[in-house]
Amino acid sequence: MHRPKRSLGMMAWLLAALLLAAGQAAAQRVEGDRAEGTGLYAAEIPVRSQNENERTAGFSRALAQVLGKLSGDRGVAQRPGVSQELRRAEQYVEGYDYRQDEGVSSRGSPTFTTTLVVRFRPEDVDGVAAALGLPVWPDPRPKPVLWLAIDDGSGPRLVGLQQNNVARPVLQRAIERGYRLGLPGGSAAEQAAVGAIWRGDTAAIARISARYNPPMQLVGKLYRDGSGWKADWIFVDGGRVLARWSETGDDARRILPSGADGAADALTRRYAKASPAGTPSTETVLFTGINSSADFIRLSAQLQRMSVVRAIRPVRATPRGLEVQLDLLTGLSGFRRMADENVLVEADGAPEGVTPTFHLR
């Protein structure tokens, strides 16, 4: 009589164990949820499979995307010290999940894509950005209105809220760059503004866009260009034209994201703030707690892992410890931000001008 209860208890235990082993992200999901990488510290990365190597590479790409959103710099991965942090991206992951997306190819056949959804710990990402001296595009981010007209050969038409799927490539790219674009409602008066979009009459578009906030407009026209397509873009902030650019290509869906990229570049040039991190410098630092060759190797490995450390030159060994000259990307302030307190602890109370001392635990 008791055996069914024991079996039921064992099944419940196994189910709990399986859920725990499934990882951080799976424990937060319920049936019917759709994993999404929304927010400044999350990213969505297409992957070929769910194996560990592909996931690790996906973490690096996801951190690059998040740092790009935080700084507004789409070339952030090329900044000094960033590539080293991308290689240890897994250390900053708060949780991850997978999503299967179904689509349709250009030939009409179904396609299936696996997307890795990654969430990073905000305090860790902020610490990396500060230590490396990355610019920061502060929150809250603006939501410009996208005034997009498309002419596929039958005359230009406005893309409004009812046609949001048409604008999906540019709307999604804006999210990847850390902000959002809004679409006009598509009223009769707004539909009539297509002519102003086509002429590039930004003053007329600003007037009809006055009911929307903020007073920013991304004005674009997409049209046939020979056998391909061309998009002309203008970004306006408070009635002032901040940027104009164009993009051409064979696939209209691949051209549209250039609008979001250009707007993000214009916004960050104007609004991103320089990090308060220090400037590059060469500093002499005293390390204590080194009592063996194993301690020295551990210290050397720790310093080499720190992306703010560009070069290490031992100076001399004294009864107090080992003096080392460090070339630092963002000075001592960046070094202090990135030092792992579980490994290196700075001595308190060192006066200004005295060699800073760190104890190896």
Side-chain angles (χ1 to χ4, degrees):
M1 294 293 292
H2 295 286
R3 291 182 64 183
K5 291 184 179 181
R6 290 176 60 190
S7 299
L8 184 61
M10 180 63 72
M11 289 177 65
W13 182 88
L14 287 171
L15 179 60
L18 287 170
L19 287 173
L20 182 62
Q24 302 160 297
Q28 300 171 15
R29 297 281 306 283
V30 296
E31 188 173 356
D33 280 355
R34 184 176 187 270
E36 291 185 337
T38 58
L40 195 58
Y41 298 94
E44 298 185 355
I45 303 296
V47 291
R48 291 172 295 184
S49 70
Q50 297 187 21
N51 69 41
E52 185 177 355
N53 289 339
E54 188 75 7
R55 183 167 60 249
T56 300
F59 287 157
S60 296
R61 291 160 55 202
L63 182 58
Q65 187 181 121
V66 166
L67 289 174
K69 288 196 289 186
L70 186 66
S71 67
D73 181 3
R74 54 175 150 170
V76 71
Q78 281 70 54
R79 284 180 173 258
V82 172
S83 62
Q84 197 169 339
E85 291 302 317
L86 298 184
R87 289 194 289 272
R88 61 170 65 99
E90 187 170 2
Q91 298 178 16
Y92 308 134
V93 173
E94 183 176 62
Y96 68 90
D97 212 330
Y98 289 96
R99 188 181 71 232
Q100 298 295 326
D101 296 320
E102 183 177 355
V104 180
S105 71
S106 57
R107 298 182 178 180
S109 57
T111 61
F112 300 91
T113 304
T114 300
T115 299
L116 173 64
V117 180
V118 189
R119 298 176 301 280
F120 293 96
R121 291 186 293 274
E123 62 275 14
D124 287 349
V125 176
D126 289 344
V128 168
L132 297 181
L134 302 181
V136 175
W137 182 11
D139 274 334
R141 304 283 173 86
K143 186 179 182 180
V145 180
L146 171 62
W147 293 91
L148 174 64
I150 299 178
D151 185 358
D152 58 3
S154 56
R157 297 184 298 274
L158 178 72
V159 177
L161 278 175
Q162 298 301 316
Q163 300 82 34
N164 61 73
N165 281 336
V166 176
R168 186 61 53 197
V170 62
L171 299 177
Q172 183 59 38
R173 179 59 62 85
I175 293 172
E176 293 171 3
R177 293 296 304 272
Y179 73 110
R180 290 181 179 272
L181 289 167
L183 288 169
S187 66
E190 292 173 343
Q191 294 286 346
V194 167
I197 295 174
W198 220 254
R199 295 191 306 272
D201 188 346
T202 57
I205 296 301
R207 285 194 297 271
I208 199 169
S209 191
R211 60 187 289 250
Y212 301 107
N213 281 313
M216 294 179 181
Q217 300 89 40
L218 173 59
V219 183
K221 61 178 183 179
L222 177 69
Y223 53 95
R224 284 287 184 181
D225 182 39
S227 60
W229 293 84
K230 184 175 182 180
D232 296 329
W233 302 98
I234 307 172
F235 186 73
V236 184
D237 182 359
R240 176 186 172 190
V241 174
L242 293 189
R244 297 175 184 266
W245 66 101
S246 297
E247 188 78 15
T248 59
D250 296 332
D251 189 339
R253 292 172 299 180
R254 295 186 177 182
I255 295 173
L256 280 174
S258 66
D261 282 331
D265 293 343
L267 284 166
T268 53
R269 280 195 298 268
R270 187 164 189 180
Y271 295 107
K273 298 178 180 179
S275 170
T279 56
S281 64
T282 299
E283 306 286 347
T284 299
V285 179
L286 177 66
F287 292 100
T288 61
I290 304 171
N291 302 311
S292 66
S293 59
D295 289 338
F296 177 79
I297 292 171
R298 191 156 59 91
L299 172 64
S300 178
Q302 176 66 21
L303 295 177
Q304 290 178 45
R305 282 195 295 267
M306 297 173 68
S307 52
V308 294
V309 178
R310 313 304 291 162
I312 307 167
R313 291 181 293 274
V315 177
R316 59 180 175 176
T318 71
R320 294 180 58 210
L322 176 67
E323 285 190 9
V324 177
Q325 199 173 65
L326 303 175
D327 289 347
L328 301 174
L329 180 63
T330 50
L332 277 172
S333 61
F335 182 83
R336 288 184 172 110
R337 283 192 180 96
M338 196 157 280
D340 185 348
E341 292 184 353
N342 294 317
V343 181
L344 292 173
V345 181
E346 185 172 12
D348 294 330
E352 190 69 26
V354 175
T355 301
T357 301
F358 287 81
H359 182 72
L360 179 69
R361 286 186 166 181

